[in-house]
Amino acid sequence: MLLLTMLIQILLLTAFFWAAGTILLGILTGKRKTKLIAKRHSFAIIVCAHNEENVVGNLLTSLAEQTYGQAGYHTFLLADHCTDATAAIGRKFSNVTVWERNIGARTGKGAVLRWGIELIRKETGNKFDSYIVFDADNVATPNFVEEINKCFCTGAKLVMGNRKALNPYASIISSWYTIYWQTVDCLYCRPRSNLGLAAIISGTGFAFKDELLGSEGWNTTSITEDIEFSMGQNLKGVFAVYWESAVFYDEQPTNLATMLSQVRRWCTGNFQIAAKFRKPWWKHFCQHPNLKLIDNFIPIFLAVMFGFYLILNFCWLFYNGAQDVNPFGLIDIIWWSFLYILSIGVSYGVIKYSTFNLNRMLPGILTSGIYCIIFSLIAVYSLFKPVKSWKPIEHGKVK
């Protein structure tokens, strides 16, 4: 057990130094200059929704007000087994087509995307060369579609937008999420974009060219269809580009129960992706070695390893206790205290240089280490009790 713990520690430290190195180099490098080849792409905007009457109107309004010009895009609202006014709200907008899915059992977002994209292709032919995917609780900035078009004009085929929290001060939970997504933006996406490394698609606010789907269409099976799609494209040599100026807002969970449910799904999905892609990834990497492949697999690797590492730490504590050795030695206390303080420092830094109010975010900053601890515990729990099916998040009315 000691040998296994040391091995995982070495792997985690290696991943940590890789991540720290990319952050440092990315900050020092600065923003990359890109060349644009002027072209107007045609976008099918897909909104997957299940009983989203409280929030979907905000998104559809923001899409109707895009500066790109409505001739260049059309919104498709996929109302999946809705029993409320979601579909009726969608039909109030002239540039929105509403399709209701009521056949069979309600499934995850991946199945809805497969159904919806197949319908779009069947009903519109080759009208749209690109897709944008939103969740119903999002709000797009007026130039979002225009910015995504600019990114495609650089030659990108898969694009991740810049996610911001819609309700950062609603609760301590939404503050934690706000800090999390700001950290992803400042310390993951932006430095990697500066270095020319790849982004990872995360749930919503992303776009892709129709050519990536081929004849089979959307074809994901895990409960984290976003990461699965992204990893599948990586093995085809296509990597996501982070486009910072394509900003959208995303409503964050406000209570612990919803947070636990969502993070369990994330962790379970990471385990599924790691299991599905470990062999194909290694085979592809041996044939086509690429730093982007390594960099994109590290977050998934870390999610899995942290779970195992925490289990081994608990085993080590029990073992020391059985041997009459103080399981909570000074080194352990210093180590965990350092990690907690580090999380506060990182949280303070990323929020200070954001548009969010620092004073109102302070409770979330000071308790941000708790979010990390909960995340680690859920990762362990999900190893033994993985999520069996996708569950939607209930949304309140956010103005």
Side-chain angles (χ1 to χ4, degrees), residues 36 52 81 92 96 100 111 140 150 166 169 182 205 241 246 256 272 284 286 344 357 384:
L36 303 179
E52 303 282 10
H81 292 77
K92 294 179 181 179
V96 175
E100 297 186 67
K150 285 181 182 178
L166 185 62
Y169 319 117
Q182 281 298 118
V241 174
L256 185 60
Q272 290 177 344
H284 184 79
C286 289
I344 293 176
N357 186 290
F384 301 99

Side-chain angles (χ1 to χ4, degrees), residues 12 15 41 52 86-87 101 103 142 153-154 173 198 219 321 325 347 384:
L12 287 174
H41 296 82
E52 303 282 10
T86 297
R101 180 175 182 258
I103 299 174
C153 287
T154 67
I173 304 296
N219 187 25
V325 178
S347 301
F384 301 99

